[in-house]
Amino acid sequence: MIAEDSGSRQTTCPYCGVGCGVQAQTAFGVIESVQGATTHPANFGRLCVKGSALHETMGEQGRLLHPRIAGVRTDWNSALDHVAASLRKIIRKHGPDAVAFYLSGQLLTEDYYVANKLMKGFIGSANVDTNSRLCMASAVAGYKRAFGADAVPCNYEDLECCDLLVMVGSNAAWTHPVLYQRIVAAKAARPGMRVVVIDPRRTATCDIADLHLALRPGADAFVFAGLLQYLAQRHALDHDYIDNCTEGFDAALTACEDFDIDTTAERSGLDSGALEQFYLWFARTEKTVTFYSQGINQSATGTDKCNAIINCHLATGRLGKPGMGPFSITGQPNAMGGREVGGLANQLAAHMDFTPENVERVARFWKAEKMATQPGLKAVDLFAAIESGKIKAVWIMATNPVVSLPESERVRAALLQCELVIVSDCIENTDTTACADVLLPATGWGEKDGTVTNSERRISRQRTLLGPAGEARHDWWIINEVAKRLGFADAFRYDSAADIFQEHAALSAFENEGTRAFDISALVGLDKTAYDAMTPMQWPVNTANPTGSARLFSDGKFFTPSGRARFVTLTPELPQAAPTFQTPFLLNTGRLRDQWHTMTRTGRAPRLLAHTGAPFVAMNPRDAMSKGIREGDLVRLHNIDSHGDRQELLLQANIDSGLRDGDVFVPIHWNDQFAANSRISRLIAPRTDPISGQPESKYAPVGLQGIKVQRWVALISREPVPVGPFDFWVKTPVTDGWYTLLADTTIPTKESEEAWQAWTSGLQAELPTGLEKIELSNTVSGDYRALLCRDQHIEIALFAGCDRSMLPDIQWLQSLFNHKVDSQSWRLLARQESSAISANRVICSCFRITEQQINGAIDKGARSAEDLGRLLRCGTNCGSCIPELKQLVARHAS
């Protein structure tokens, strides 16, 4: 890579929806370091561990560097000609609806805009959707039903100045850690501030909770229906606001009339006293924010859940003012930017819907003769249409649907039989690129140039820091070139991201006159210099609000036909799928502290896998005991998919007392690049919200059994090793190499033993000649240890045995790379008891502080997380590890 220049430049983090500013230091064509941008209003200098490790994810290794057709490298002109010719052929034969685009919240707004324009305006189909459908579509639908616009009314300061913060379906401590630390600091400064967490799991976010309501999975709407009824009974309604600014209240309240406290508590699985305490705090606290995320959205009734929350804020007039409002936090860095330009199949650009007036308006602005006139297929339906053959060509950009979509085995099969699969990505090997006919190398973070919009409607610049890797090109450029080859050159004459942003801003103003919430008309006319220097600002940015708008709806006026906010009449219900004898557990899914989506970026940084390096299934201690399962045991998780096929995963057990009886939790991140049989999306049914189309990712009945392992293998190597005959394996990158954990679950036979011997012998064959192999084995215990070394440096170290707990941990194995050994010293080392090699898990990933170091500091007198921070620095950067630090201190105290 070649740097555009050296020095320091401000950009924006590419991870969650907080949208933190990043100050990056570059020199000699590399990013040397990153730190939080102190002037950015989202983070004021803070970064989480993922953001702090951004520079560690860079480099050309593993990048997609050149265009490929059918696996063969080609040049850009040939690739673009092939894509255009293939799309043209399919459109002529089958019509525009035989083509689809599938986009991503990782794209910049300018990329999104050009893709949406090409598909909806010139190909003539609305079959363009985004992975944002999987995380925030229900929040969008809820806002639109209530306010008439997809408009988040709050900002981050509201989380700090409210007196009651209700966090629903959000583990912000791990998923939005910088924002969570702002909340922590606010609560510490204002002792009267209360926090209520509503979540089936006791997560790290509960560390600051004054009250945790561990409700039955899927029961959120019951809680807020009951709250609306309680507010009415306790005369806690704002009747002036209801009468002057809203409509539909009486019907909404009547629908909740059966939800007294006892009934609501019974249906939601809560203690009635704890529920009433929450209701009382809400009724008495004017400055209340309800902060909700995927636990609400990722549901087959997610839109209703969003509106159940919004109803309570409308009933009390609590929005549009400091410290008040229903606040949906997005999961991706530019999910909101994608919404602005029509990245969803049911939207046009600039927040316009598919009304005849809007279709005609956008067509005139774009000078488009083939304008799509009706919504296209949403994500789950779109891939079902690929499976059925209705869609013949799909272009996937910057996302990994073979890992993220429900019933992902069917998604993989659909792509493999699809006539044309085009994938634009910056990473070469993903579960989705493996299905591609055409691979187009795209720029990644640090190379891209454009804008993103965070969860508080704040538009920020993501700036180029380095030249592109290999032959990578910006996504907007790739789309632009294909559009020209399809015959639409007059409409796609962009030379820069600034050109696209200008058109985007102009469309937001076009015939708007205050009728649409999204308006950045004050940014029309920015030249390239002003665009590059643009500072973060919150839309709308127009004549009335030239510097941006912190909050919306402070005047009590909305974007509905009547100008009033709408109450939505709801009938709360639990998810349709219920546990059965074969699948008695309820599966919940979510993110981990140090990982992001499908690990294509975070999986490149060993530091980010130090805290949790392998997939797992978490379960309550009582459930584990009933199944005879211990920490670290291998577990088979299974259910039956919608086609009647059995789906199975193999995961290690994690015993978690924060789970309800009968609930299990599995992280979403792992995939076939890092582990076998670990894609949790295989067990998620394609049930979707009927309004938003968002799938239900947090509720699935499953069965589980402990699996007997005949042989565990822990291995450290300089390069990845073949996984051989093992049906369970996890590969974890470490500094200077790879750690691989494998398990053999087959019944011992002559054939299985021969396969084991062939695999161990084959390890040496995979490496260059001249290696010395030293082996130690115990025929009684079945233990086996081997070392492959060159010039007294270890290339591979292998430990195998039937007892997982007796294998050395990853930290100790990694330390072997620093040893110079001969056969005698290895024998002495090998004869040590493995149990004496203590587990040394990393707790603080920012500073790589291990549990062993923390326990040592506690033994020497540290009595709080603050003490540990002063002694070891742990918890002093992003703060994500503070709940675990407190747990370790409490464990010693008890």
Side-chain angles (χ1 to χ4, degrees), residues 228 231-232 235-253 310-319 321 556 558 562-567:
L228 186 63
L231 294 170
H235 308 291
L237 301 173
D238 186 337
H239 287 288
D240 287 342
Y241 191 87
I242 293 170
D243 293 342
N244 295 323
C245 301
T246 74
E247 58 191 13
F249 172 73
D250 290 340
L253 182 62
I310 295 170
N311 281 351
C312 295
H313 281 268
L314 292 177
T316 51
R318 295 176 186 170
L319 75 163
K321 306 171 192 175
F558 298 85
S562 66
R564 293 169 173 262
R566 292 181 290 224
F567 283 90

Short mmCIF file of all heavy atoms in Angstrom, two decimals, residues 228 231-232 235-253 310-319 321 556 558 562-567:
data_model
loop_
_atom_site.label_atom_id
_atom_site.label_comp_id
_atom_site.label_asym_id
_atom_site.label_seq_id
_atom_site.Cartn_x
_atom_site.Cartn_y
_atom_site.Cartn_z
N LEU A 228 -48.50 1.18 29.64
CA LEU A 228 -49.48 2.15 29.17
C LEU A 228 -50.75 2.11 30.02
O LEU A 228 -51.30 3.16 30.39
CB LEU A 228 -49.81 1.88 27.70
CG LEU A 228 -50.73 2.90 27.02
CD1 LEU A 228 -50.07 4.28 26.99
CD2 LEU A 228 -51.08 2.44 25.60
N LEU A 231 -49.98 3.73 33.42
CA LEU A 231 -49.91 5.19 33.34
C LEU A 231 -51.31 5.80 33.35
O LEU A 231 -51.54 6.84 33.97
CB LEU A 231 -49.15 5.61 32.07
CG LEU A 231 -47.67 5.24 32.01
CD1 LEU A 231 -47.11 5.50 30.62
CD2 LEU A 231 -46.87 6.02 33.06
N ALA A 232 -52.23 5.13 32.66
CA ALA A 232 -53.61 5.64 32.63
C ALA A 232 -54.27 5.50 34.00
O ALA A 232 -54.94 6.43 34.48
CB ALA A 232 -54.41 4.89 31.57
N HIS A 235 -53.02 8.07 36.54
CA HIS A 235 -53.18 9.46 36.13
C HIS A 235 -51.84 10.12 35.82
O HIS A 235 -51.58 11.27 36.19
CB HIS A 235 -53.92 10.26 37.22
CG HIS A 235 -55.20 9.62 37.66
ND1 HIS A 235 -56.32 9.55 36.84
CD2 HIS A 235 -55.54 8.97 38.81
CE1 HIS A 235 -57.29 8.92 37.47
NE2 HIS A 235 -56.86 8.55 38.67
N ALA A 236 -51.01 9.36 35.12
CA ALA A 236 -49.68 9.85 34.76
C ALA A 236 -49.58 10.20 33.28
O ALA A 236 -48.48 10.24 32.72
CB ALA A 236 -48.63 8.79 35.12
N LEU A 237 -50.72 10.43 32.64
CA LEU A 237 -50.74 10.78 31.22
C LEU A 237 -50.63 12.29 31.03
O LEU A 237 -51.03 13.07 31.89
CB LEU A 237 -52.04 10.29 30.58
CG LEU A 237 -52.32 8.79 30.67
CD1 LEU A 237 -53.72 8.49 30.15
CD2 LEU A 237 -51.27 7.99 29.89
N ASP A 238 -50.11 12.68 29.88
CA ASP A 238 -50.06 14.09 29.49
C ASP A 238 -51.21 14.33 28.52
O ASP A 238 -51.06 14.20 27.30
CB ASP A 238 -48.71 14.41 28.85
CG ASP A 238 -48.54 15.90 28.54
OD1 ASP A 238 -49.56 16.60 28.41
OD2 ASP A 238 -47.39 16.34 28.42
N HIS A 239 -52.37 14.67 29.06
CA HIS A 239 -53.57 14.78 28.23
C HIS A 239 -53.48 15.94 27.25
O HIS A 239 -54.01 15.85 26.13
CB HIS A 239 -54.80 14.91 29.12
CG HIS A 239 -55.17 13.63 29.80
ND1 HIS A 239 -55.73 12.56 29.13
CD2 HIS A 239 -55.04 13.24 31.09
CE1 HIS A 239 -55.95 11.57 29.98
NE2 HIS A 239 -55.53 11.95 31.18
N ASP A 240 -52.81 17.02 27.62
CA ASP A 240 -52.66 18.13 26.69
C ASP A 240 -51.87 17.69 25.46
O ASP A 240 -52.24 18.01 24.32
CB ASP A 240 -51.95 19.30 27.37
CG ASP A 240 -52.85 20.03 28.36
OD1 ASP A 240 -54.09 19.85 28.27
OD2 ASP A 240 -52.31 20.76 29.21
N TYR A 241 -50.81 16.96 25.69
CA TYR A 241 -50.00 16.49 24.56
C TYR A 241 -50.79 15.49 23.71
O TYR A 241 -50.79 15.55 22.48
CB TYR A 241 -48.71 15.83 25.07
CG TYR A 241 -47.70 15.55 23.97
CD1 TYR A 241 -46.79 16.52 23.58
CD2 TYR A 241 -47.67 14.31 23.33
CE1 TYR A 241 -45.87 16.26 22.57
CE2 TYR A 241 -46.76 14.04 22.33
CZ TYR A 241 -45.86 15.02 21.95
OH TYR A 241 -44.96 14.78 20.95
N ILE A 242 -51.46 14.57 24.37
CA ILE A 242 -52.27 13.58 23.66
C ILE A 242 -53.33 14.27 22.79
O ILE A 242 -53.51 13.94 21.61
CB ILE A 242 -52.94 12.61 24.65
CG1 ILE A 242 -51.87 11.74 25.33
CG2 ILE A 242 -53.97 11.73 23.94
CD1 ILE A 242 -52.41 10.92 26.50
N ASP A 243 -54.01 15.28 23.35
CA ASP A 243 -55.09 15.94 22.63
C ASP A 243 -54.59 16.81 21.49
O ASP A 243 -55.22 16.87 20.42
CB ASP A 243 -55.90 16.82 23.60
CG ASP A 243 -56.66 15.99 24.63
OD1 ASP A 243 -56.85 14.78 24.40
OD2 ASP A 243 -57.04 16.56 25.67
N ASN A 244 -53.45 17.45 21.68
CA ASN A 244 -52.99 18.44 20.70
C ASN A 244 -52.00 17.89 19.68
O ASN A 244 -51.87 18.48 18.59
CB ASN A 244 -52.32 19.62 21.43
CG ASN A 244 -53.29 20.39 22.29
OD1 ASN A 244 -54.46 20.56 21.91
ND2 ASN A 244 -52.84 20.85 23.44
N CYS A 245 -51.32 16.79 20.00
CA CYS A 245 -50.21 16.36 19.14
C CYS A 245 -50.33 14.92 18.64
O CYS A 245 -49.46 14.48 17.88
CB CYS A 245 -48.88 16.49 19.90
SG CYS A 245 -48.54 18.17 20.47
N THR A 246 -51.36 14.19 19.05
CA THR A 246 -51.42 12.77 18.69
C THR A 246 -52.82 12.38 18.22
O THR A 246 -53.77 13.15 18.35
CB THR A 246 -51.04 11.87 19.89
OG1 THR A 246 -52.12 11.86 20.84
CG2 THR A 246 -49.76 12.34 20.56
N GLU A 247 -52.91 11.15 17.72
CA GLU A 247 -54.20 10.57 17.35
C GLU A 247 -54.16 9.07 17.62
O GLU A 247 -53.10 8.46 17.62
CB GLU A 247 -54.51 10.84 15.87
CG GLU A 247 -53.48 10.31 14.91
CD GLU A 247 -53.68 10.82 13.48
OE1 GLU A 247 -54.46 11.77 13.30
OE2 GLU A 247 -53.02 10.28 12.56
N GLY A 248 -55.33 8.50 17.88
CA GLY A 248 -55.44 7.06 18.07
C GLY A 248 -55.23 6.58 19.49
O GLY A 248 -55.11 5.36 19.72
N PHE A 249 -55.20 7.49 20.46
CA PHE A 249 -54.90 7.08 21.83
C PHE A 249 -55.96 6.16 22.41
O PHE A 249 -55.63 5.15 23.04
CB PHE A 249 -54.73 8.31 22.73
CG PHE A 249 -54.60 7.96 24.19
CD1 PHE A 249 -53.44 7.38 24.68
CD2 PHE A 249 -55.65 8.18 25.07
CE1 PHE A 249 -53.33 7.03 26.02
CE2 PHE A 249 -55.54 7.83 26.41
CZ PHE A 249 -54.38 7.26 26.88
N ASP A 250 -57.22 6.49 22.27
CA ASP A 250 -58.28 5.71 22.93
C ASP A 250 -58.25 4.25 22.50
O ASP A 250 -58.38 3.33 23.33
CB ASP A 250 -59.65 6.32 22.61
CG ASP A 250 -59.86 7.66 23.30
OD1 ASP A 250 -59.14 7.93 24.28
OD2 ASP A 250 -60.72 8.43 22.84
N ALA A 251 -58.08 3.99 21.20
CA ALA A 251 -58.04 2.61 20.72
C ALA A 251 -56.82 1.89 21.25
O ALA A 251 -56.88 0.70 21.62
CB ALA A 251 -58.05 2.59 19.19
N ALA A 252 -55.68 2.59 21.30
CA ALA A 252 -54.46 1.96 21.80
C ALA A 252 -54.59 1.59 23.27
O ALA A 252 -54.16 0.51 23.70
CB ALA A 252 -53.26 2.89 21.59
N LEU A 253 -55.21 2.47 24.05
CA LEU A 253 -55.39 2.19 25.48
C LEU A 253 -56.39 1.07 25.70
O LEU A 253 -56.17 0.19 26.55
CB LEU A 253 -55.83 3.45 26.21
CG LEU A 253 -56.01 3.31 27.72
CD1 LEU A 253 -54.69 2.93 28.39
CD2 LEU A 253 -56.55 4.61 28.32
N ILE A 310 -42.92 3.36 21.96
CA ILE A 310 -43.22 4.73 21.51
C ILE A 310 -44.56 5.19 22.08
O ILE A 310 -44.71 6.36 22.47
CB ILE A 310 -43.20 4.80 19.98
CG1 ILE A 310 -41.78 4.53 19.46
CG2 ILE A 310 -43.69 6.16 19.49
CD1 ILE A 310 -41.69 4.35 17.96
N ASN A 311 -45.56 4.29 22.14
CA ASN A 311 -46.86 4.65 22.70
C ASN A 311 -46.72 5.25 24.11
O ASN A 311 -47.41 6.22 24.46
CB ASN A 311 -47.77 3.42 22.77
CG ASN A 311 -48.40 3.08 21.44
OD1 ASN A 311 -48.31 3.82 20.47
ND2 ASN A 311 -49.06 1.92 21.38
N CYS A 312 -45.86 4.66 24.91
CA CYS A 312 -45.70 5.13 26.29
C CYS A 312 -45.08 6.53 26.34
O CYS A 312 -45.41 7.35 27.21
CB CYS A 312 -44.87 4.14 27.10
SG CYS A 312 -45.68 2.54 27.32
N HIS A 313 -44.17 6.81 25.40
CA HIS A 313 -43.57 8.15 25.35
C HIS A 313 -44.56 9.18 24.82
O HIS A 313 -44.60 10.32 25.31
CB HIS A 313 -42.29 8.12 24.53
CG HIS A 313 -41.13 7.58 25.27
ND1 HIS A 313 -40.26 8.38 25.99
CD2 HIS A 313 -40.70 6.31 25.46
CE1 HIS A 313 -39.34 7.63 26.57
NE2 HIS A 313 -39.60 6.36 26.27
N LEU A 314 -45.36 8.81 23.84
CA LEU A 314 -46.39 9.72 23.35
C LEU A 314 -47.43 10.00 24.43
O LEU A 314 -47.90 11.14 24.59
CB LEU A 314 -47.07 9.13 22.11
CG LEU A 314 -46.23 9.01 20.84
CD1 LEU A 314 -47.03 8.32 19.74
CD2 LEU A 314 -45.75 10.38 20.38
N ALA A 315 -47.78 9.00 25.19
CA ALA A 315 -48.81 9.16 26.22
C ALA A 315 -48.38 10.09 27.34
O ALA A 315 -49.21 10.68 28.04
CB ALA A 315 -49.19 7.79 26.80
N THR A 316 -47.07 10.23 27.52
CA THR A 316 -46.55 11.10 28.58
C THR A 316 -45.90 12.36 28.01
O THR A 316 -45.35 13.16 28.78
CB THR A 316 -45.52 10.33 29.42
OG1 THR A 316 -44.55 9.72 28.55
CG2 THR A 316 -46.19 9.24 30.24
N GLY A 317 -45.95 12.53 26.68
CA GLY A 317 -45.36 13.71 26.05
C GLY A 317 -43.86 13.77 26.19
O GLY A 317 -43.27 14.87 26.16
N ARG A 318 -43.24 12.62 26.31
CA ARG A 318 -41.80 12.59 26.59
C ARG A 318 -41.00 12.32 25.32
O ARG A 318 -40.47 11.23 25.10
CB ARG A 318 -41.49 11.53 27.65
CG ARG A 318 -42.12 11.86 28.99
CD ARG A 318 -41.88 10.77 29.99
NE ARG A 318 -42.62 11.02 31.24
CZ ARG A 318 -42.76 10.14 32.22
NH1 ARG A 318 -42.22 8.93 32.10
NH2 ARG A 318 -43.43 10.45 33.30
N LEU A 319 -40.88 13.32 24.49
CA LEU A 319 -39.97 13.29 23.35
C LEU A 319 -39.83 14.71 22.84
O LEU A 319 -40.67 15.57 23.11
CB LEU A 319 -40.44 12.35 22.25
CG LEU A 319 -41.60 12.75 21.34
CD1 LEU A 319 -41.59 11.87 20.11
CD2 LEU A 319 -42.92 12.58 22.06
N LYS A 321 -37.59 16.74 23.81
CA LYS A 321 -37.04 17.59 24.87
C LYS A 321 -35.79 16.91 25.43
O LYS A 321 -35.65 15.69 25.34
CB LYS A 321 -38.06 17.79 25.99
CG LYS A 321 -39.41 18.32 25.54
CD LYS A 321 -40.41 18.27 26.68
CE LYS A 321 -41.83 18.53 26.19
NZ LYS A 321 -42.82 18.35 27.27
N GLY A 556 -43.89 19.46 18.48
CA GLY A 556 -45.10 18.65 18.53
C GLY A 556 -45.72 18.40 17.17
O GLY A 556 -46.85 17.91 17.09
N PHE A 558 -45.47 16.47 13.36
CA PHE A 558 -44.91 15.23 12.81
C PHE A 558 -45.14 15.17 11.31
O PHE A 558 -45.77 16.06 10.72
CB PHE A 558 -45.52 14.04 13.54
CG PHE A 558 -45.20 14.03 15.02
CD1 PHE A 558 -45.99 14.75 15.93
CD2 PHE A 558 -44.10 13.35 15.50
CE1 PHE A 558 -45.69 14.76 17.27
CE2 PHE A 558 -43.79 13.36 16.85
CZ PHE A 558 -44.58 14.07 17.74
N SER A 562 -51.86 14.12 9.04
CA SER A 562 -52.54 15.04 9.95
C SER A 562 -51.57 15.94 10.71
O SER A 562 -52.00 16.89 11.36
CB SER A 562 -53.36 14.25 10.97
OG SER A 562 -52.50 13.50 11.83
N GLY A 563 -50.29 15.64 10.62
CA GLY A 563 -49.31 16.39 11.40
C GLY A 563 -49.23 15.95 12.84
O GLY A 563 -48.47 16.52 13.65
N ARG A 564 -49.97 14.90 13.21
CA ARG A 564 -49.99 14.38 14.57
C ARG A 564 -49.25 13.04 14.63
O ARG A 564 -49.27 12.27 13.66
CB ARG A 564 -51.42 14.17 15.06
CG ARG A 564 -52.23 15.45 15.23
CD ARG A 564 -53.70 15.15 15.44
NE ARG A 564 -54.46 16.35 15.78
CZ ARG A 564 -54.78 16.70 17.03
NH1 ARG A 564 -54.44 15.91 18.05
NH2 ARG A 564 -55.46 17.80 17.27
N ALA A 565 -48.66 12.78 15.78
CA ALA A 565 -48.08 11.46 16.01
C ALA A 565 -49.20 10.44 16.18
O ALA A 565 -50.28 10.78 16.70
CB ALA A 565 -47.18 11.47 17.23
N ARG A 566 -48.92 9.20 15.78
CA ARG A 566 -49.95 8.17 15.82
C ARG A 566 -49.67 7.14 16.91
O ARG A 566 -48.58 6.55 16.95
CB ARG A 566 -50.04 7.46 14.47
CG ARG A 566 -50.57 8.33 13.35
CD ARG A 566 -50.65 7.59 12.04
NE ARG A 566 -49.34 7.30 11.50
CZ ARG A 566 -49.00 7.44 10.22
NH1 ARG A 566 -49.88 7.90 9.33
NH2 ARG A 566 -47.79 7.14 9.80
N PHE A 567 -50.63 6.92 17.80
CA PHE A 567 -50.60 5.73 18.64
C PHE A 567 -50.93 4.53 17.75
O PHE A 567 -51.75 4.63 16.83
CB PHE A 567 -51.63 5.83 19.76
CG PHE A 567 -51.23 6.72 20.88
CD1 PHE A 567 -51.56 8.07 20.85
CD2 PHE A 567 -50.53 6.23 21.96
CE1 PHE A 567 -51.20 8.91 21.88
CE2 PHE A 567 -50.15 7.06 23.01
CZ PHE A 567 -50.48 8.41 22.97
#
